[in-house]
Amino acid sequence: MPIDAGLAADARTALAGVEALLLDAVRSEDPLLTQASKHLVEAGGKRFRAMLVVLAAQFGDKTAPGVVPAAVVVELTHLATLYHDDVMDEAPVRRGQESANARWTNTVAILTGDYLFARASDLLADLGPEAVRIQARAFARLVRGQIQETVGPAADADPLKHYLQVVADKTGSLIAVSGQFGALLAGAPPHVVDTITSACEKIGVAFQLSDDILDITSDAEQSGKTPGTDLREGIRTLPMHLVLAGAGSGPDDARLRELLDTDLTDDALHAEALALLRAHPAMDQARADLRRWAEDARAELMTLPDIPARAAFTGLCDYVVTRTG
């Protein structure tokens, strides 16, 4: 679906303002801190969360003074989590460049992430106490999700339910806040703010589930990533949880479950597990679960006023499903 020309022009203007303020926000009197802070900003990225702020603002006063700073707040928060994630994951590369922890040290990367959180808080203070409260609660969810992912489900917990809660907290929460900030700070009616917030969280969960599927189904040329990275790193995502929960049935179920409990850093075992997983009926169920999250988001969005931004939001619901084929 083509994007409305007026909406596209508004978005370009707002995102140019976001980029300028983002670069200004990461400057410091300390040269190393400035260099480390700009490292991921200048590496690019989709600015997906900032775009959601801008789209949501269309349901109120799109030129309201808090919209661009709010978009920068969510981007800074997201970038800060990436610095911390790379330390925890010992990741050597981020956005096609050497990660901050690899280029400098873990300590520099952690402190840079902390600095970005501080800069986000500084901008947030000018947006009012309600915005501060919203961000604080989302940040608490981010931390909770990371801890839950790190320790794993309790012995008596449902692993799939635990995984979906981690996804909602780690990914969905900040995407929800992006939509919430845009609508709230543009002065949209309360029911519009609530609807956008809820729908954006569902879109956030759907994006993560689509990434789970793509990690298994796509080839390196299509995705730009090595297929089966989660498998190799021992990270259980939606399709794997569905297999272990007994979703569908295949002739090689027992072997696949055995492999999912095995160290798959060995190339031959990894290739076997990836092939079995790609052929398993759980992949169809994972796609059905993804479609359900996207359709639930769409149903909420369709209650909003019929303006070009609504079509853009529902287009995201389509995209998150179609990108998985």
Side-chain angles (χ1 to χ4, degrees):
M1 179 186 298
I3 298 176
D4 177 83
L7 176 59
D10 289 344
R12 283 193 297 270
T13 299
L15 291 174
V18 169
E19 207 65 26
L21 184 54
L22 189 58
L23 283 169
D24 185 64
V26 298
R27 290 194 182 94
S28 165
E29 294 178 358
D30 184 278
L32 174 58
L33 187 52
T34 298
Q35 186 181 14
S37 298
K38 290 171 65 177
H39 184 63
L40 283 186
V41 173
E42 293 180 338
K46 297 182 289 293
R47 305 289 188 252
F48 177 62
R49 291 154 188 81
M51 175 60 79
L52 291 181
V53 176
V54 170
L55 286 179
Q58 293 280 323
F59 291 90
D61 176 8
K62 62 191 178 187
T63 63
V67 172
V68 167
V72 174
V73 166
V74 294
E75 280 298 323
L76 285 171
T77 303
H78 174 58
L79 288 169
T81 65
L82 298 184
Y83 282 89
H84 288 178
D85 283 350
D86 285 347
V87 171
M88 289 184 286
D89 298 340
E90 299 180 351
V93 176
R94 167 69 68 174
R95 293 182 173 174
Q97 295 192 19
E98 189 178 24
S99 63
N101 48 298
R103 182 170 178 177
W104 292 286
T105 63
N106 281 345
T107 299
V108 169
I110 290 169
L111 292 173
T112 301
D114 292 345
Y115 178 70
L116 296 185
F117 281 130
R119 297 298 296 130
S121 298
D122 193 7
L123 288 171
L124 197 61
D126 293 330
L127 300 180
E130 181 62 15
V132 173
R133 185 179 298 110
I134 289 168
Q135 174 76 353
R137 289 175 178 173
F139 188 46
R141 287 186 66 189
L142 285 167
V143 174
R144 181 180 70 189
Q146 184 63 65
I147 288 178
Q148 289 179 333
E149 182 179 62
T150 301
V151 302
D156 59 346
D158 179 343
L160 178 55
K161 184 177 180 180
H162 175 272
Y163 172 73
L164 290 173
Q165 185 62 56
V166 167
V167 170
D169 286 340
K170 278 195 66 180
T171 304
S173 62
L174 191 58
I175 290 176
V177 165
S178 301
Q180 186 175 14
F181 272 169
L184 179 69
L185 293 169
H191 73 278
V192 170
V193 176
D194 292 343
T195 298
I196 290 176
T197 304
S198 177
C200 281
E201 175 143 350
K202 291 179 174 66
I203 289 171
V205 172
F207 261 101
Q208 183 57 58
L209 299 187
S210 68
D211 279 348
D212 289 355
I213 294 168
L214 285 171
D215 183 69
I216 295 165
T217 61
S218 64
D219 57 38
E221 185 176 338
Q222 175 187 356
S223 67
K225 300 176 183 177
T226 303
T229 298
D230 293 329
L231 267 176
R232 190 178 295 278
E233 295 179 354
I235 299 170
R236 287 182 178 171
T237 58
L238 177 63
M240 293 172 242
H241 281 297
L242 291 172
V243 169
L244 294 169
S249 62
D252 300 304
D253 276 12
R255 176 57 176 163
L256 180 53
R257 290 193 185 100
E258 178 187 358
L259 287 168
L260 292 178
D261 281 324
T262 302
D263 180 353
L264 294 176
T265 53
D266 176 84
D267 287 345
L269 291 177
H270 176 266
E272 182 185 2
L274 185 59
L276 291 176
L277 190 54
R278 284 173 168 173
H280 198 279
M283 295 304 300
D284 289 333
Q285 182 168 337
R287 291 186 181 93
D289 288 351
L290 164 62
R291 286 193 297 271
R292 185 166 58 251
W293 280 95
E295 285 306 312
D296 286 350
R298 174 194 289 280
E300 292 185 345
L301 291 166
M302 291 305 292
T303 68
L304 296 173
D306 185 7
I307 63 173
R310 188 183 79 173
F313 269 119
T314 58
L316 286 174
C317 297
D318 294 333
Y319 169 70
V320 77
V321 172
T322 57
R323 71 193 286 250
T324 65

